[in-house]
Amino acid sequence: MLSKQESIDLRGKLIGESCQLFFRKNPLKIVRANAQYMYDEKDDAYLDCINNVAHVGHCHPAVVKAGCDQMSVLNTNNRFLHDNILLCAQKILSTLPENLSVCYFVNSGSEANDLALRLAQIHTGNKDVIALEHAYHGHLTSLIDISHYKFDLPGGVGRKDHVHVAPIPDTYRGKHRDSNKSEEELGSMYAEEVRAICNKIQEKGKGVCAFIAESLISCGGQVIPPNQYFNEVYDAVRASGGVCIADEVQVGFGRIGKHWWAFQQYDVYPDIVTMGKPMGNGHPVACVVTTKEISESFNKTGVEYFNTYGGNPVSCAIANAVFDTIETENLRENAVVVGEYLLDNCQILSRKHKVIGDVRGVGLFVGIDLVKDRETREPNPKCAKFVHQRMREEHILITIDGPHSNIIKFKPPMVFTKENVDAVMSTLDRVFKEYREKSELFEVNTTRMPGYVTDGKSTKEHRPIKALLERSNIKSI
Amino acid sequence: MLSKQESIDLRGKLIGESCQLFFRKNPLKIVRANAQYMYDEKDDAYLDCINNVAHVGHCHPAVVKAGCDQMSVLNTNNRFLHDNILLCAQKILSTLPENLSVCYFVNSGSEANDLALRLAQIHTGNKDVIALEHAYHGHLTSLIDISHYKFDLPGGVGRKDHVHVAPIPDTYRGKHRDSNKSEEELGSMYAEEVRAICNKIQEKGKGVCAFIAESLISCGGQVIPPNQYFNEVYDAVRASGGVCIADEVQVGFGRIGKHWWAFQQYDVYPDIVTMGKPMGNGHPVACVVTTKEISESFNKTGVEYFNTYGGNPVSCAIANAVFDTIETENLRENAVVVGEYLLDNCQILSRKHKVIGDVRGVGLFVGIDLVKDRETREPNPKCAKFVHQRMREEHILITIDGPHSNIIKFKPPMVFTKENVDAVMSTLDRVFKEYREKSELFEVNTTRMPGYVTDGKSTKEHRPIKALLERSNIKSI
């Protein structure tokens, strides 16, 4: 094995510097992993709160076995018939509304989103795409073009004419956040923004191609879109000739617990769903699911589609094992129970640490929004950076995201336990305290957390923080 | 296991109809494979002459073991340090010219070509891309745009303004094919076409972004570009501000035998090389290699690159095992010896069957060009279709490609043997005879095969057919 320093030196020399590396100044060398734990070159364990790709746990034996068994028998392209791709398609479709009935297998969430856009263009004959502020949909050229998170960076490619950016439906720090409004009212207000874009496109004599959004917004800062939002957006987009794409690459496969797919909590019916990351528990496999009509539009072009590895027997054996493991180990139920416990505890923590402006999430998709001031909600990236670094020193891996780099993200493997939550919370508590003492800028106070989540008007289960506040009667410290 | 009919029915229902399926009317159900053999649901064996992805042989035990061993230990993204990606980069770079020194790992040849174009755009600040007639570079939007093979189909998206199509440098049936010219002269004539495009772009006040071509042209019809072509093209492109991309996705990893990469036989130095398919022997892994300068241009944008699975420990363990196997089993030497034997035998066959217009290839990349008439070189897709179907009935898998669907393609696993060649040739001989009898259109004659390959002016080893003719003294039958 290379020494850590040799690894650092070689990486600097051989691998494109643009390639992301966690803790660049002192990166982690991880040599093995199991379930929700990763181990470095000294065999020191780290609690993994971030690898949503290792969905059913790192190196899950059932998934490894399925992959290995198939690798030794056959791994070729799907220009030949094979059972695995069909069983995988059946499993996927069994979790989706009936109208979503046709699968295309690919290698990555990026390939899936690229194909989704291509299908939308072919089906609608339109080009104009509406995506969200701070959205990220993948690393390919066509996706960088629609990903505000990337194209709007100082060195980014800028916005192309066919791309339209709608405000992120973030009721905590977005454009519309009036705490006197209900969640549904705010949802409508954000949807109205999309409708206005649709109108503008139509005024130019064009139609909409697609609206694409993650069902829960990850890189944008663990944002849970309000009720009513997608419902009205989908109506507006369809009325303008467009199709609706739900990007479930990061948030699908039961992460939210109650449903297989995050869009399902909103009672909407996308025309195209893309899925990836957790699908192969680390193995490159992804999928686009769409309607018979859209699939037929593609077929009518006469242009065949071929993806060398997409849906090969090994990829599908692995995806099938991931599905089975989610079911046999009741991981969706675990996401509900542990996710709620995580939210509860973040909420408890927020009573102690004024630097926590908001806590939000559903299932094992949770964010803590750090602020300098609860009233102004000014983001606190400095604290986030401190926490990120200190948690790593405490052998707990979290990430920081959002446009202001102030959101602590939790998206752990689905085998995460209450004990893991306890460990994270007690450490976070200590680290926040350190930060407060270090910065000498914070005072404990009992100011009510701002935001509509406490306005008593929302009742949807997908905002557990609401339920939590009602249930817990936690007194401010 | 599903019955074959159930598989057909389910596939029709669940998987996008646009997805390619071999022998659509009666597809093959393949359930296992080993080395150069594939087995159907009845355990009937098929000799595999087409799966270049299963490079070191289907289910090679060393590759399977490397993948399985790593899968059970760690499979996570490369935001953590890991040895496998570094060892893989070292291996790749050791096979390339020194100027190519930085790697980006991705999941597929398509992802690689997309990133290559993005790097070229960022580095040059230009947009105009020159690609070849009938070229195919991948299934992503950005690649369909530059792939004449796809965008120019009746239902295709058409040519975008930034895309320029240069004539395919096919000296047998391309624009320039004067048999009185030397290979080098024809190479220059084809290069002149690219120079003219560069000039046109510059006349509009713009610069060239990139010239992209496969080093041997696969889907375009197993075409071996003539000497001098790439040398002059690269000069012209660079003089116009562009970079040169060698697409080695289908033809790299030692397939040509003498060199690791097909461009190396031309003594040119690309700025970017993309590699994929054979790299993982079926596992999704691919790579972009470029210069320090281009990599630095990307880094200077400040936009980070992240590819969820690209270069993960399993993908790289597998790629490393593929490299090792090529070396330990002398598969490049095998490609030279068996490839030459294959070409020799195709040549012998051509003396018997007038329907063979041209035989060309290098290493285990070989094509047989079928014609209705040797003088006019009119393509014969009907014969190709017949041969394709009959060979399948004889349990030998070949493919047909080229813009006229008249080229028999050989790109077998690198473990292909002389005995396999014998089996293919005797069967082909029989099948061609059947076709002749069936069509009653052909007569045996001894007309000299047309084309510059027999003009005695070319001496380069990468056109073994030339050497063959000199060496074999095969008499026409």
Side-chain angles (χ1 to χ4, degrees), chain A residues 411-469:
Chain A
K411 43 171 190 161
M414 297 273 281
V415 291
F416 213 67
T417 64
K418 285 186 174 181
E419 292 69 31
N420 294 146
V421 173
D422 290 340
V424 173
M425 289 301 134
S426 64
T427 313
L428 262 183
D429 185 25
R430 191 148 42 85
V431 168
F432 279 133
K433 200 172 158 214
E434 282 176 32
Y435 180 74
R436 189 171 57 208
E437 287 166 0
K438 194 170 175 310
S439 62
E440 298 178 350
L441 282 169
F442 293 83
E443 289 166 28
V444 179
N445 84 12
T446 56
T447 314
R448 157 186 172 279
M449 281 175 69
Y452 77 93
V453 293
T454 60
D455 67 10
K457 288 178 191 165
S458 170
T459 55
K460 286 289 279 201
E461 283 178 69
H462 74 271
R463 299 198 52 89
I465 190 170
K466 168 79 182 49
L468 161 73
L469 287 171

Side-chain angles (χ1 to χ4, degrees), chain A residues 54 58-59 280-284, chain B residues 70-71 73-77 312-315:
Chain A
H58 290 276
C59 303
N281 216 48
H283 181 89
Chain B
Q70 186 58 53
M71 271 176 81
V73 172
L74 177 69
N75 190 19
T76 193
N77 66 71
N312 72 37
V314 172
S315 295

Side-chain angles (χ1 to χ4, degrees), chain A residues 45 63-65 71-72 96 122 159 162 164 169 229 243 245 254 289 346 361 380 399 417 425-426 461 477:
Chain A
V63 176
V64 171
K65 184 175 186 311
M71 272 176 81
S72 61
L96 287 164
I122 289 167
R159 189 177 65 77
H162 72 288
H164 306 268
Y229 177 67
V243 298
I245 304 171
V289 188
C346 288
N380 195 337
T399 43
T417 64
M425 289 301 134
S426 64
E461 283 178 69
I477 296 164

Side-chain angles (χ1 to χ4, degrees), chain B residues 86-106:
Chain B
L86 304 172
L87 299 176
C88 191
Q90 279 185 318
K91 276 178 203 282
I92 289 171
L93 297 178
S94 73
T95 63
L96 286 164
E98 266 185 33
N99 69 315
L100 293 164
S101 61
V102 184
C103 299
Y104 296 84
F105 286 86
V106 297

Side-chain angles (χ1 to χ4, degrees), chain B residues 10 52 70 74 94 104 242 259-260 321 372:
Chain B
L10 271 178
N52 58 329
Q70 186 58 53
L74 177 69
S94 73
Y104 296 84
H259 300 278
W260 276 102
K372 290 184 182 166

